[in-house]
Each structure stands twice: as structure tokens, then as C-alpha cells.
Amino acid sequence: VDKLDEAVRVVEEMGGAGCIPDVESYGAVINSMCLARKTSDVVKIVKEMVSKAGISPRKGMLTKVAAALRANREIWKAIEMIEFVESRDYPVEFETYEVLVEGCLEVREYILAGKMVMRMTDKGFIPYIKVRQKVVERLIGIGEWKLACTVRQRLAEKRS
């Protein structure tokens, strides 16, 4: 972990030295941080990469970060990170949304899961069938009929 802390420092200090880290530098640090489940630091690095360096996350990177946050049961932090990335007009993959919805279900954030399904469909993505069934069932189970019907309607509009 000492080497990981040093790698994070090097990437952070590169910008100060006039050398902007590339996607490979960020990717190596983010991957290592996810494996170590250092989630508070990894979100900071992702935000820095997107906002300061203007680098688009490479395929699978956000999914890996979201999965690490999900493993730590920090689904709100994962959703906030994705909202930040989207606010900078960077793409978010289907798999990342799927991890978020599944994480919401695991921590019993059913309303949030419903809202994430709505966001997915706004982006043209449709959750896997078992996930969408669980979302609708859990929403009904907590008495959120209106949101459950809205989710079902949206999915029907997308022909799923």
C-alpha cells in the first residue's frame, strides 16, 4: 500500500510540475485503488482526471470504480461520482449503470434503484430482465406503486 500512496502522490504532483498525467497513469492508479478498495481516494482521482485533466475514462474504468464502491456499500458515493462524470459530458457505460442499480437493490435503496433505471432508459440502456423485475417488485413491496408503474411504463416504451 506504500507504493500505492506514492503512485497517487506522483500522479497528483505531475500536474503541478507541468506534466499532465495521461489515461494510462490515471488508469493504473485507479485500478490499484479499486483493488485495495480505497474508495474515498479513488473518487477524488476520477474527478480530478475528468475535471482538471479533461480525460475521458476508458472503457470499464467507471464500472470498476462503481463495483469497488458497491463492495464497500457506498452506493450513494458511486452515484454522485457518475453524476459528476455525466455533468462533464463524458459517457457512462451500460455496465456501470447496471452495477449501480444492483448496488441500490443490495442496500435496499429501492427508490434510488427506480430512479437509476429511469436514468438508464434516458441514455438508451435497458437493465437486464432480472434486475428490472427486482426493481419493480421491490418498489411495489415498499408501497411505491406510482414509481413502479412509471418504471414499468418507461420500460414498455423501450419495448423491453
Side-chain angles (χ1 to χ4, degrees):
V1 177
D2 286 345
K3 289 181 181 182
L4 178 56
D5 291 338
E6 184 178 342
V8 171
R9 264 193 315 280
V10 167
V11 167
E12 288 174 343
E13 292 173 1
M14 284 174 77
C19 178
I20 298 173
D22 62 6
V23 72
E24 296 296 328
S25 303
Y26 279 112
V29 169
I30 289 169
N31 187 45
S32 297
M33 292 175 95
C34 287
L35 291 173
R37 288 171 71 175
K38 295 186 82 173
T39 52
S40 60
D41 294 334
V42 77
V43 170
K44 183 178 131 207
I45 295 291
V46 168
K47 286 181 175 182
E48 179 183 302
M49 178 184 77
V50 169
S51 63
K52 290 183 183 172
I55 297 174
S56 179
R58 74 168 10 154
K59 185 166 176 49
M61 187 181 288
L62 295 176
T63 305
K64 192 172 286 187
V65 174
L69 289 162
R70 175 184 170 191
N72 283 356
R73 303 184 67 78
E74 297 177 283
I75 205 65
W76 279 97
K77 190 181 283 189
I79 289 171
E80 289 170 6
M81 177 194 66
I82 295 308
E83 287 174 343
F84 180 83
V85 170
E86 287 178 332
S87 75
R88 299 295 196 263
D89 294 324
Y90 289 104
V92 177
E93 302 168 338
F94 164 82
E95 292 82 4
T96 306
Y97 286 111
E98 191 75 14
V99 166
L100 295 176
V101 173
E102 290 172 356
C104 290
L105 292 170
E106 288 171 3
V107 298
R108 299 176 184 218
E109 291 283 353
Y110 304 132
I111 294 171
L112 189 58
K115 290 179 179 180
M116 289 308 300
V117 168
M118 298 296 282
R119 179 178 282 172
M120 283 181 79
T121 59
D122 286 342
K123 303 287 182 185
F125 299 132
I126 299 170
Y128 292 125
I129 190 156
K130 287 190 180 215
V131 172
R132 35 184 211 252
Q133 286 174 335
K134 275 186 183 178
V135 170
V136 171
E137 288 170 4
R138 298 306 190 274
L139 287 169
I140 291 169
I142 62 168
E144 287 290 334
W145 288 90
K146 199 172 201 174
L147 181 56
C149 288
T150 304
V151 168
R152 287 180 78 178
Q153 178 65 35
R154 177 72 63 87
L155 292 169
E157 289 169 2
K158 299 290 181 183
R159 294 194 166 92
S160 69

